[in-house]
Amino acid sequence: MSRNSNKKPVGFATHITAGGIAGACEALTCQPLDTIKVRMQLSRSGRTPGTKARGFIATGVNIVRRETPLALYKGLGAVLSGIVPKMGIRFASFETYKGWLADKSTGKTSVGNIFLAGLGAGTTEAILVVNPMEVVKIRLQAQQHSLADPMEAPRYRNAGHAVYTIIREEGFATLYRGVSLTALRQATNQGANFTAYQEIKKFAHRMQPELSELPSYQHMIIGLISGAMGPFSNAPIDTIKTRLQKATAVPGQSAFQRVMAIASDMWKQEGVRSFYKGITPRVLRVAPGQAIVFAVYERVSGIIEKITPTIREDDGYSE
């Protein structure tokens, strides 16, 4: 990356294009791990004393045996349909918040304010895109019908049908079930992710002053490290959110009451380990996923910037 202080920030079109391509690559690569994670979080295995919960490899093998390998990609349509606006909103909102929080005299944004901008970006993407997308995705992933048996008809045929059925039977608000937990998860994810990525990338540049651009493999390594931080910090939130979005609403029960009921049931019936169900496939999905996103985004945005006059500023985020 060039150190020219007169560089302009990335344009909105670059965020949309590069982010969308990067997100699509991530989804296509990592969706099977996300499906396994969701099945593990919804699983009741291990509740009987003396038995162990099914691990992520056994869960994946069970899905493939009963439902064919294509079942690992259940919910992919919902993910792909939301990935472009999700990534565009993430990058564009982060840059906006970072600009608002920058020191007016120097134009630089402190580490603390980078984290706050990441929190804001995660919250924004959760409310506008991620929560509705995940409700649909989880409903599709939770279906344990066999794709090899045409007589075993699924409740939801695809993402579009799932949206239609959910709204018709449960109301539009169902698409926003668990939005507070999703926003909290996305906020902590992006706060840690943006901050770690920028700081580690700055360190890499200091260690290699002769490089104007970091090679793609270094972007992947930095993304892998920063991407692993979120899942460990908010696994309980993600597990409760998954069960909340899978369940049908109880009349007269508030969202907070549902969250507390799910958490209480998990604690009593399955113990503290239940809050970390699916953590292995989640880390294996999110960390490599972020590595792919960072590497693809850097490469695609670099190509776009060579074609257009819009170039990133030095302290700007490269995801």
Side-chain angles (χ1 to χ4, degrees):
M1 185 190 319
S2 173
R3 298 295 198 260
N4 189 342
S5 61
N6 293 321
K7 287 181 176 180
K8 299 176 183 178
V10 179
F12 184 78
T14 301
H15 292 306
I16 292 292
T17 306
I21 293 172
C25 291
E26 179 211 13
L28 289 168
T29 305
C30 302
Q31 182 67 9
L33 289 169
D34 189 69
T35 298
I36 294 171
K37 180 211 73 169
V38 167
R39 289 292 182 86
M40 289 180 71
Q41 291 177 330
L42 296 175
S43 173
R44 305 290 178 174
S45 64
R47 295 178 66 170
T48 305
T51 62
K52 295 179 64 176
R54 185 182 293 135
F56 82 98
I57 293 178
T59 300
V61 170
N62 185 62
I63 293 172
V64 171
R65 282 178 177 171
R66 185 180 186 276
E67 306 170 51
T68 79
L70 285 177
L72 294 172
Y73 285 90
K74 285 180 176 179
L76 180 61
V79 174
L80 288 175
S81 64
I83 205 74
V84 172
K86 171 187 172 181
M87 291 298 178
I89 288 169
R90 175 185 297 180
F91 301 143
S93 62
F94 173 77
E95 291 293 341
T96 299
Y97 298 143
K98 189 186 73 172
W100 289 347
L101 295 168
D103 186 295
K104 303 306 177 187
S105 60
T106 64
K108 301 293 183 180
T109 308
S110 67
V111 175
N113 284 338
I114 289 289
F115 181 75
L116 291 177
L119 291 179
T123 301
T124 302
E125 71 176 19
I127 295 172
L128 296 182
V129 179
V130 177
N131 203 83
M133 179 183 72
E134 289 209 346
V135 170
V136 174
K137 174 182 71 71
I138 287 169
R139 293 294 182 92
L140 290 168
Q141 290 174 320
Q143 297 184 126
Q144 300 191 31
H145 69 288
S146 175
L147 295 175
D149 184 358
M151 300 302 292
E152 191 174 348
R155 176 173 173 76
Y156 308 115
R157 295 192 296 272
N158 50 51
H161 181 251
V163 171
Y164 172 76
T165 304
I166 290 169
I167 293 177
R168 185 189 64 185
E169 296 182 355
E170 302 175 58
F172 182 80
T174 302
L175 294 176
Y176 280 88
R177 182 173 299 156
V179 67
S180 59
L181 293 176
T182 302
L184 183 59
R185 185 199 65 184
Q186 291 303 110
T188 52
N189 271 348
Q190 298 314 316
N193 205 9
F194 277 91
T195 306
Y197 185 81
Q198 285 207 342
E199 291 305 304
I200 297 173
K201 191 172 77 168
K202 288 177 183 177
F203 175 77
H205 274 299
R206 286 197 297 270
M207 295 296 101
Q208 306 165 100
E210 73 283 1
L211 295 180
S212 60
E213 288 282 354
L214 295 179
S216 293
Y217 81 89
Q218 291 190 20
H219 288 304
M220 293 190 73
I221 293 172
I222 298 170
L224 189 75
I225 296 171
S226 63
M229 295 183 177
F232 283 111
S233 66
N234 55 31
I237 297 170
D238 189 57
T239 303
I240 295 172
K241 175 201 69 69
T242 297
R243 295 199 179 191
L244 177 66
Q245 291 175 328
K246 163 65 169 57
T248 301
V250 178
Q253 190 179 50
S254 68
F256 178 76
Q257 289 173 326
R258 287 197 296 271
V259 169
M260 295 307 296
I262 290 171
S264 177
D265 181 67
M266 289 172 62
W267 179 270
K268 293 177 181 177
Q269 300 294 330
E270 303 170 67
V272 67
R273 294 182 64 181
S274 66
F275 291 95
Y276 288 87
K277 277 188 173 181
I279 185 64
T280 301
R282 187 174 175 223
V283 171
L284 289 176
R285 187 220 183 284
V286 173
Q290 287 304 300
I292 293 169
V293 166
F294 285 127
V296 174
Y297 182 87
E298 294 279 4
R299 179 54 59 91
V300 174
S301 60
I303 293 172
I304 293 173
E305 290 166 20
K306 289 178 180 178
I307 299 173
T308 63
T310 303
I311 303 178
R312 288 169 292 185
E313 60 182 326
D314 181 46
D315 69 339
Y317 182 50
S318 297
E319 181 203 357

